[in-house]
């Protein structure tokens, strides 16, 4: 496959580090919550890599090392497919528990490699340091032994991709496997072509273009890209074209078309033709109506006066397209006649007309909100992805981020909000600028006063784009968004959804809340995320979250703040708080099994720490227990017994009864 994985077919991936487009569609109004669409994408990506990977040299040894030890450290020359191999190895260890995650040591909000909280049972962890500088690699080496031990203890799996020129400590040499590129580059190309749907009877023939391309050893990335060009040449070829002609077109496109485009532009002095050339390159494959309207919008954006020629005397669109080597097909979609001509046009105007760049951003915003039935999501997203590609190619990540924010200004409609999501998705997926966008999104979530539209864009990006590979980063950002949320609960719901399947994330958020200032927004968040059902669940492991001392400590700290707020501000949230208490007591009686007493211990100890208000908080607990008992669906002896046990614990806390061992003192029953 590739050194930096390139999804070279029309997959539904949000990870994208090669050529082509990324398409993201919200599918609903940007101001309404919706079901996340990207939650399962990491596994989709891993399946795709597995499909196209030809096993590199020493793949078997790497697999055995990972199977036997839970850890493998991959080394190899750049271009040998190390990262793709790492992903496939982790894909082979897919289990119902745990998740695939990529670790980002040194980044903001990333736990240190030494921290055991980084790993959940069954996790599949990728630590890709193939391009890391010496300092980062040295720091990572210091934490690797501790990380490896945690991975082993929790039956997780870790694949590290080390820098090829990096050194490795002697005690880690046992886990190192040096892989080499596959023996047959031709088989790599054919595997990609087969995955792209090219008939095998075509690519099994000998072809002089392929022989020439593979005559010297190519990195896996270049082979994947060449296969993708053949695929696109096949799709755009006219009837009667054969495999050899597709390969020749791919070869020509690979050589680059900058000189051709420069000559074409020089021969088009008319602004309207240049605008059409740009519009086709940015909307390649769009319907002719969309291209025509976009051309007019571009001329307006740059202040070009409208044509004075009478309408029926003007050139029709077909003639104008032929003058720029483009045509409209039977389906009405406009494409250049030569492969990759569109990307060469974009590069030419972006590089050689820099004053045009700000106009292109404003123009794209107007195009995406056009009311045209042919402006389907794929076309809109393709436009944004191509524009974002030029920003990123030339190192203008900050300008792209600012553009996404402008598109999400007050009053932005759904189309502009979707475009902003798409732009940020492209930035996050870019290997050179992903870190910048993760940090920029953090700054927005923490420090900026956001419009409702932009806040929802960030919720969408965190929940659907950032969370699959980097859930900890998404957790922190969604927490900040939820704290600042007013009038909606989109961020809070996304935060709850994110934690729903992860004990590790729930543990981390509870710890984060307990260590914070527990302002009223945090208390509201706590009451939503402290559902006792997952806290007492033992379907994954024999030990429930509430069995863990650290989790109980966090719960006690947060409940103390909730109870204090309830009794000190009776005009605030006492009814809502009592409803949450009743829910805990219902669960302690009927759903928690032998962990029910631990839930009571948490509430009583939290109330006992309320200082001058402890008497009032004990009264709130007891009253809530009686109400819960009366409202119990079963209204049976279990609820009454729970109330009696709670009253006994309150008495002990107040020194009114005999001391009895609490469940928390013994760490819970197992």
């Amino acid at each position: 496959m590739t050194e930096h994985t390139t999804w070279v077919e029309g997959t539904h991936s949000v990870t994208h580090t090669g050529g082509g487009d990324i398409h993201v569609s919200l599918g609903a109004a940007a101001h309404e919550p919706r079901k996340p669409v990207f939650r399962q994408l990491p596994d989709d990506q891993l399946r795709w890599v597995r499909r196209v990977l030809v096993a590199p040299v020493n793949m078997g040894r790497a697999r055995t090392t990972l199977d036997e030890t839970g850890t493998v450290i991959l080394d190899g020359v750049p271009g040998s497919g190390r990262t793709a191999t790492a992903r496939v190895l982790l894909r082979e260890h897919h289990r119902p528990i745990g998740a695939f995650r990529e670790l980002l040591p040194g980044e903001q909000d990333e736990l240190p490699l030494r921290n055991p909280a980084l790993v959940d049972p069954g996790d599949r962890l990728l630590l890709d340091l193939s391009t890391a500088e010496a300092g980062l690699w040295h720091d990572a080496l210091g934490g690797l032994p501790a990380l490896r031990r945690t991975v082993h203890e929790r039956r997780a799996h870790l694949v590290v991709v080390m820098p090829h020129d990096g050194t490795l400590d002697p005690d880690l040499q046992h886990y190192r496997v040096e892989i080499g590129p596959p023996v047959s580059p031709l088989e790599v190309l054919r595997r990609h072509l087969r995955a792209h749907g090219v008939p095998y009877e075509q690519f099994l023939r000998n072809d002089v273009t392929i022989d020439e391309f593979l005559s010297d050893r190519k990195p896996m990335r270049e082979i994947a890209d060449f296969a993708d060009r053949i695929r696109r040449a096949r799709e755009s070829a006219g009837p009667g074209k054969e495999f050899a002609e597709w390969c020749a077109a791919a070869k020509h496109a690979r050589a680059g078309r900058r000189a051709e485009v420069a000559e074409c532009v020089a021969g088009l002095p008319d602004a309207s033709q240049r605008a059409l050339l740009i519009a086709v390159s940015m909307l390649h494959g769009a319907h002719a109506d969309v291209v025509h309207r976009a051309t007019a919008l571009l001329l307006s954006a740059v202040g070009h006066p409208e044509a004075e020629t009478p309408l029926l005397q003007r050139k029709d669109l077909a003639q104008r397209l032929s003058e720029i080597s483009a045509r409209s097909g039977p389906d009405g979609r406009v494409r250049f006649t030569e492969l990759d001509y569109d990307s060469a046009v974009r590069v030419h105007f972006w590089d050689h007309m820099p004053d045009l760049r700000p106009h292109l951003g404003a123009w794209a915003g107007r195009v995406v909100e056009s009311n045209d039935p042919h402006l389907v999501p794929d076309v809109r997203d393709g436009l944004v992805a191509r524009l974002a590609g030029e920003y990123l190619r030339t190192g203008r990540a900050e300008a792209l981020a600012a553009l996404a924010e402008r598109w999400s200004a007050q009053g932005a409609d759904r189309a502009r909000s979707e475009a902003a999501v798409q732009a940020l998705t492209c930035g996050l997926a870019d290997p050179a600028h992903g870190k910048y966008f993760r940090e920029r999104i953090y700054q927005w979530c923490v420090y900026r006063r956001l419009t409702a539209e932009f806040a929802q864009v960030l919720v969408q990006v965190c929940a659907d784009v950032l969370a699959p590979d980097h859930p900890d980063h998404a957790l922190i950002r969604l927490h900040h968004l939820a704290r600042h949320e007013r009038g909606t609960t989109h961020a809070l719901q996304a935060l709850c959804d994110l934690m729903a399947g992860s004990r590790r994330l729930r543990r981390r958020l509870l710890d984060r809340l307990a260590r914070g200032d527990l302002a009223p927004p945090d208390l509201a968040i706590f009451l939503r995320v402290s559902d006792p059902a997952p806290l007492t669940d033992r379907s994954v492991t024999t030990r429930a979250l509430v069995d863990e001392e650290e989790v109980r400590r966090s719960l006690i700290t947060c409940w103390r703040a909730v109870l204090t707020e309830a009794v000190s501000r009776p005009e605030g949230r006492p009814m809502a708080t009592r409803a949450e208490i009743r829910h805990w007591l219902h669960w302690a009686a009927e759903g928690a099994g032998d962990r029910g007493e631990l839930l009571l211990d948490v509430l009583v100890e939290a109330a006992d720490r309320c200082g001058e208000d402890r008497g009032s908080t004990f009264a709130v607990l007891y009253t809530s227990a009686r109400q819960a008992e009366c409202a119990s669906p079963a209204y049976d002896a279990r609820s009454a017994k729970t109330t009696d046990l709670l009253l006994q614990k309150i008495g002990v806390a107040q020194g009114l009864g005999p001391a009895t061992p609490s469940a928390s003192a013994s760490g819970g029953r197992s």
Side-chain angles (χ1 to χ4, degrees):
M1 181 60 184
T2 69
E3 187 59 39
H4 300 290
T5 305
T6 302
W7 317 114
V8 293
E9 192 181 40
T11 65
H12 297 83
S13 170
V14 295
T15 298
H16 179 286
T17 63
D21 303 332
I22 307 176
H23 303 303
V24 175
S25 177
L26 297 185
H31 315 305
E32 299 176 1
R34 67 178 186 86
K35 184 178 179 181
V37 296
F38 288 120
R39 288 292 162 80
Q40 300 303 318
L41 283 181
D43 282 333
D44 292 342
Q45 297 166 10
L46 295 179
R47 279 192 292 270
W48 169 254
V49 179
R50 181 68 186 91
R51 222 175 133 198
V52 298
L53 181 77
V54 175
V57 175
N58 279 334
M59 175 77 166
R61 184 182 162 202
R63 182 181 287 118
T64 300
T65 302
L66 184 61
D67 288 344
E68 294 179 350
T69 69
T71 300
V72 65
I73 301 174
L74 298 182
D75 195 2
V77 298
S80 58
R82 294 170 295 172
T83 301
T85 301
R87 290 176 178 271
V88 168
L89 289 171
L90 291 170
R91 172 72 180 89
E92 293 174 348
H93 286 279
H94 176 79
R95 295 164 60 190
I97 63 171
F100 170 83
R101 300 203 320 279
E102 183 175 357
L103 305 181
L104 299 170
E107 286 202 19
Q108 192 170 28
D109 302 327
E110 188 81 3
L111 293 173
L113 297 182
R114 295 181 176 86
N115 193 327
L118 194 65
V119 186
D120 244 6
D123 276 353
R124 294 162 288 149
L125 306 176
L126 172 62
L127 180 56
D128 184 4
L129 297 172
S130 56
T131 59
E133 297 179 353
L136 179 58
W137 173 240
H138 180 268
D139 291 343
L141 278 178
L144 268 181
L147 174 61
R148 195 203 65 74
R149 284 193 297 273
T150 306
V151 165
H152 178 74
E153 291 167 358
R154 298 185 180 174
R155 297 184 179 180
H157 291 88
L158 168 68
V159 179
V160 181
V161 186
M162 65 177 289
H164 185 51
D165 57 353
T167 59
L168 198 62
D169 295 343
D171 58 341
L172 293 172
Q173 286 290 347
H174 172 67
Y175 306 100
R176 175 181 171 273
V177 175
E178 183 168 4
I179 67 168
V183 174
S184 173
L186 179 59
E187 177 57 26
V188 175
L189 182 68
R190 288 175 172 175
R191 181 74 63 88
H192 279 82
L193 292 174
R194 182 164 62 249
H196 287 316
V198 178
Y200 73 91
E201 62 270 15
Q202 295 280 357
F203 62 71
L204 288 181
R205 303 173 184 173
N206 291 331
D207 182 83
V208 63
T209 302
I210 289 181
D211 291 342
E212 179 184 330
F213 171 72
L214 296 176
S215 60
D216 57 333
R217 184 163 292 280
K218 297 285 194 303
M220 298 298 101
R221 179 190 185 94
E222 289 189 28
I223 296 176
D225 288 344
F226 191 67
D228 184 52
R229 284 194 174 92
I230 294 174
R231 186 265 304 174
R232 289 186 285 113
R234 176 192 177 220
E235 292 174 353
S236 61
K241 299 289 186 180
E242 295 293 337
F243 183 71
E245 293 164 295
W246 307 337
C247 294
K251 174 187 175 182
H252 193 182
R254 182 172 179 269
R257 299 186 179 277
R258 293 197 177 198
E260 293 177 50
V261 169
E263 184 177 351
C264 173
V265 173
L268 293 173
D270 185 69
S272 63
Q273 286 297 78
R274 291 189 173 191
L276 180 62
L277 187 66
I278 295 170
V280 173
S281 75
M282 298 294 290
L283 290 157
H284 202 242
H287 193 275
D289 288 356
V290 176
V291 172
H292 175 73
R293 174 61 177 158
T295 302
L297 289 174
L298 181 55
L299 288 170
S300 173
V302 298
H304 190 272
E306 294 185 12
E308 298 181 357
T309 307
L311 180 61
L312 292 178
Q313 294 181 19
R314 300 174 191 172
K315 297 177 182 178
D316 64 25
L317 185 59
Q319 182 180 356
R320 296 170 62 210
L321 288 173
S322 68
E323 293 172 353
I324 61 170
S325 301
R327 62 171 176 243
S328 176
D331 57 358
R333 296 178 178 273
V334 176
R335 297 177 178 86
F336 288 112
T337 57
E338 298 295 332
L339 185 65
D340 284 357
Y341 200 84
D342 58 317
S343 60
V345 170
R346 293 193 295 271
V347 168
H348 177 88
F349 280 102
W350 189 270
D351 289 353
H352 300 297
M353 287 191 173
D355 293 340
L356 184 64
R357 295 169 188 165
H359 296 292
L360 288 176
W363 166 74
R366 294 183 62 187
V367 171
V368 298
E369 63 186 5
S370 299
N371 186 22
D372 189 309
H374 296 294
L375 192 66
V376 294
D378 279 356
V379 172
R380 179 204 64 218
D381 293 345
L383 167 63
V384 177
R386 291 176 185 119
L387 179 64
E390 295 308 308
Y391 277 104
L392 297 170
R393 178 182 64 84
T394 52
R396 291 172 170 80
E398 185 174 353
L400 178 60
L403 179 64
E405 187 173 12
R406 287 199 300 275
W407 281 345
S408 308
Q410 188 76 34
D413 63 7
R414 185 183 71 179
R416 279 184 174 259
S417 295
E418 291 174 340
V421 171
Q422 173 72 358
L424 294 176
T425 297
C426 294
L428 287 167
D430 186 81
H433 300 100
K435 179 179 179 180
Y436 167 82
F437 278 91
R438 288 189 291 271
E439 292 179 350
R440 183 64 179 269
I441 290 171
Y442 177 85
Q443 298 297 323
W444 277 326
C445 294
V446 177
Y447 299 114
R448 291 295 295 274
R449 187 176 183 85
L450 307 172
T451 65
E453 294 81 359
F454 193 42
Q456 180 58 22
V457 164
L458 295 178
V459 169
Q460 194 72 52
V461 169
C462 290
D464 285 355
V465 183
L466 194 58
D469 281 346
H470 309 298
D472 293 72
H473 290 238
L475 179 89
I476 303 304
R477 287 151 182 77
L478 287 172
H479 177 207
H480 284 294
L481 289 170
R483 294 183 82 243
H484 300 148
E485 204 165 25
R486 300 293 183 271
T488 68
T489 58
H490 299 165
L492 180 55
Q493 185 59 53
L495 186 63
C496 293
D497 291 343
L498 179 63
M499 288 190 312
S502 174
R503 291 160 53 96
R504 187 182 64 81
L505 292 179
R506 190 177 300 276
R507 183 189 299 114
R508 184 170 187 191
L509 181 58
L510 289 172
D511 177 72
R512 179 178 173 82
L513 288 167
R515 293 175 184 273
D517 58 6
L518 287 172
D522 291 301
L523 300 182
I525 293 170
F526 169 72
L527 290 174
R528 278 290 301 274
V529 304
S530 60
D531 184 350
L535 293 172
T536 55
D537 178 55
R538 289 186 291 166
S539 61
V540 177
T541 66
T542 58
R543 193 171 189 231
L545 274 173
V546 75
D547 287 330
E548 301 176 15
E549 183 179 351
E550 297 82 1
V551 172
R552 287 199 304 276
R553 186 160 48 241
S554 298
L555 290 170
I556 290 167
T557 299
C558 294
W559 267 117
R560 173 186 174 277
V562 169
L563 294 170
T564 299
E565 179 81 3
V567 300
S568 64
R569 296 179 60 186
E571 76 284 358
R573 295 179 41 89
M575 296 307 295
T577 300
R578 290 180 183 181
E580 296 296 337
I581 296 172
R582 289 196 298 271
H583 177 55
W584 265 59
L585 295 170
H586 273 310
W587 191 256
E590 300 169 14
D594 57 5
R595 274 16 182 213
E597 189 174 348
L598 283 172
L599 298 182
L600 302 183
D601 287 338
V602 167
L603 291 177
V604 171
E605 189 164 351
D608 193 36
R609 296 184 183 184
C610 287
E612 296 178 356
D613 295 322
R614 62 194 294 267
S616 299
T617 54
F618 283 138
V620 168
L621 289 183
Y622 180 69
T623 302
S624 299
R626 285 301 183 195
Q627 293 171 346
E629 182 182 336
C630 296
S632 172
Y635 195 55
D636 55 18
R638 287 175 298 177
S639 296
K641 183 178 180 181
T642 298
T643 303
D644 291 342
L645 182 58
L646 176 69
L647 182 60
Q648 178 186 354
K649 290 180 178 292
I650 290 174
V652 171
Q654 292 180 312
L656 302 177
T660 58
S662 68
S664 58
S666 59
R669 303 185 185 98
S670 58

